[in-house]
Amino acid sequence: MTHSDKFRLPAGALVAVCDGRRALFLRNEGDQAFPNLRTREVHEQDNPPTAAQGTDAPGRVHQSTGTARSAVETTDFHALAEAAFLRRIAERLEALLAAGEGTALVMVASPRALGVLRPLYGRAVQEALIGEVDRDMVKLPVYEIEKHVAA
């Protein structure tokens, strides 16, 4: 697998562009010489900030000996929701590729999202993956993504 930012995308290749809240699955409807990325699927998740999701004060723990107490770290609901979303994205990509819906795969995601996604790659994703781009491009228009990714 290469870590370049530009790839030769064969016809039918998928380009997955995602972060923790939004994912675009693009498919090369052109050929390797003249790629033409078209949107195949869009996935979005409403994920309000953690402050809006959990408003209780942190819990307290009593030590088993003595009178000392300590705070329990608050749950980051935002990070949990992002991880769950990325897990669903990885599962969807696996299903698409296992069904023969793509000839190859380029994953484009923020470094943080890639860190969550990599351990979730199934067999079909691992076999189809021709490269990764560790940049957040999910808000760019498709033609801009194409310019950044296609060689």
Side-chain angles (χ1 to χ4, degrees):
M1 177 177 56
T2 180
H3 287 277
S4 161
D5 275 5
K6 300 257 185 185
F7 302 93
R8 291 197 131 335
L9 299 173
L14 294 178
V15 177
V17 184
C18 62
D19 62 13
R21 297 172 70 149
R22 187 164 193 243
L24 303 171
F25 295 170
L26 310 172
R27 184 179 165 101
N28 183 11
E29 299 295 339
D31 57 25
Q32 194 163 320
F34 299 101
N36 181 11
L37 295 182
R38 296 282 180 200
T39 303
R40 188 178 191 294
E41 294 182 13
V42 177
H43 300 267
E44 292 192 63
Q45 169 176 276
D46 183 33
N47 190 359
T50 292
Q53 294 184 44
T55 56
D56 290 344
R60 308 286 292 174
V61 174
H62 294 276
Q63 300 300 323
S64 58
T65 58
T67 59
R69 294 189 297 169
S70 58
V72 176
E73 189 173 333
T74 58
T75 302
D76 186 344
F77 294 106
H78 187 71
L80 289 175
E82 283 187 357
F85 176 75
L86 290 169
R87 191 169 30 260
R88 287 191 303 275
I89 293 305
E91 289 168 358
R92 180 66 185 139
L93 276 173
E94 182 70 16
L96 284 172
L97 291 164
E101 296 288 325
T103 57
L105 172 67
V106 172
M107 182 66 71
V108 180
S110 65
R112 179 176 165 169
L114 278 175
V116 172
L117 285 165
R118 282 184 184 128
L120 302 174
Y121 289 166
R123 184 172 168 177
V125 168
Q126 290 175 17
E127 290 173 359
L129 192 65
I130 60 172
E132 296 175 330
V133 178
D134 61 350
R135 290 175 48 201
D136 188 355
M137 292 191 218
V138 79
K139 292 182 177 101
L140 295 178
V142 173
Y143 73 90
E144 284 287 331
I145 295 169
E146 186 177 295
K147 282 198 294 191
H148 284 288
V149 175

